[in-house]
Amino acid sequence: MQEIKDSKQATVRIGYDGSVHKTFRGPLAKRRFENELRVLKYLERQNCPFVPKVLQADVEKLYMATTNCGTIVDKISQQKLEHLFQELEQYGVRHNDPFARNVTYNADLGRFCLIDFEFATILESGEGFSLEELEDLNKDKKNLKALEELRQIEEEAKREKEGQS
């Protein structure tokens, strides 16, 4: 297998048969995995032709294999990008991460396709997980860390004061 991406959020590899193998990790990996799986299955039921199809999923390993939607694009105009994400909404899904890094080009289909649905929302039900939620969670974690550091400083100051008495 050829490694395509290895980040804090996921490892992505392309199999010899062309299938895409993604293992989720990092912040909220289980929730992101479940959301992407739910959204891709929903889009498959909607017969959306320009997204990956799930071939296999393992909830315990946070792993899924999907069909390949082509190669990552180097450049795409803002107009085409906006049109592509609007087209997805006609199938009932808002991507919530509308950047070129999530666009591929499939030569067999002769069109641009979309990948990475871990933050997408199903419009009909409101099910999803947005980037804003992740950003809020990260802010909360930073706030909790700062609060813990403040408590440690206060405890050290209290101990020093008690030691001087």
Side-chain angles (χ1 to χ4, degrees), residues 4-164:
I4 299 297
K5 174 182 162 185
D6 189 9
S7 71
K8 290 180 183 179
Q9 282 74 29
T11 300
V12 179
R13 293 184 171 86
I14 305 295
Y16 297 113
D17 62 354
S19 59
V20 177
H21 302 264
K22 185 174 183 178
T23 303
F24 291 75
R25 60 183 185 213
L28 302 171
K30 186 173 193 280
R31 186 162 175 210
R32 291 182 294 109
F33 166 83
E34 291 169 344
N35 194 61
E36 183 154 352
L37 185 61
R38 176 178 41 252
V39 169
L40 288 176
K41 288 186 177 219
Y42 177 86
L43 287 168
E44 188 169 353
R45 289 190 302 274
Q46 302 302 311
N47 295 312
C48 183
F50 56 96
V51 300
K53 307 286 185 267
V54 176
L55 301 172
Q56 180 183 2
D58 185 328
V59 177
E60 289 182 23
K61 294 181 181 178
L62 302 181
Y63 159 84
M64 76 171 61
T66 64
T67 57
N68 193 319
C69 281
T71 57
I72 299 291
V73 297
D74 291 327
K75 292 182 181 181
I76 183 171
S77 73
Q78 188 62 34
Q79 183 180 5
K80 285 182 184 176
L81 189 66
E82 289 171 7
H83 174 75
L84 186 58
F85 286 102
Q86 287 171 357
E87 185 180 6
L88 178 67
E89 290 194 22
Q90 294 172 9
Y91 288 91
V93 170
R94 181 169 297 122
H95 195 279
N96 292 327
D97 193 11
F99 298 100
R101 66 177 174 255
N102 296 318
V103 177
T104 62
Y105 185 79
N106 186 315
D108 291 337
L109 296 176
R111 66 160 297 146
F112 291 104
C113 298
L114 293 173
I115 59 171
D116 289 342
F117 289 85
E118 56 196 76
F119 300 113
T121 301
I122 297 172
L123 298 173
E124 178 179 78
S125 65
E127 291 176 281
F129 184 42
S130 70
L131 284 172
E132 291 81 15
E133 286 180 279
L134 184 60
E135 288 169 1
D136 288 345
L137 182 74
N138 285 335
K139 285 179 191 172
D140 289 343
K141 284 182 181 177
K142 287 177 185 171
N143 290 340
L144 287 173
K145 185 177 180 183
L147 183 59
E148 184 59 35
E149 289 172 359
L150 181 59
R151 284 185 186 144
Q152 288 175 352
I153 291 168
E154 288 174 346
E155 285 177 24
E156 287 174 19
K158 183 179 176 182
R159 281 192 296 265
E160 283 180 18
K161 187 176 182 181
E162 288 172 354
Q164 291 175 355

